Amino acid sequence: MVLWLVVLFTLLSASLILALTLGPLKAAANVRVIRLFAAVQYAAALLLAGARLTGQA
């Protein structure tokens, strides 16, 4: 159950970062790096969810 909460928190965090880069931080010089952080978080959440569903975690 705790792992699902971690996945949910990670997805919410990545969504917030992505929303900020499409809104207030759109003109930031390093917006691609910030979006890369969101992509890494999405990948980590997908990996954790996949491991949980296959019984590896």
Side-chain angles (χ1 to χ4, degrees):
M1 181 66 189
V2 174
L3 185 59
W4 288 118
L5 293 175
V6 171
V7 169
L8 180 65
F9 178 74
T10 306
L11 288 174
L12 288 174
S13 173
S15 297
L16 177 65
I17 291 171
L18 191 60
L20 286 173
T21 61
L22 295 175
L25 296 177
K26 186 174 17 178
N30 60 346
V31 72
R32 287 188 181 192
V33 173
I34 299 170
R35 287 182 183 159
L36 181 63
F37 286 144
V40 168
Q41 283 186 327
Y42 280 127
L46 183 65
L47 183 67
L48 284 173
R52 182 68 178 135
L53 289 174
T54 59
Q56 301 293 326

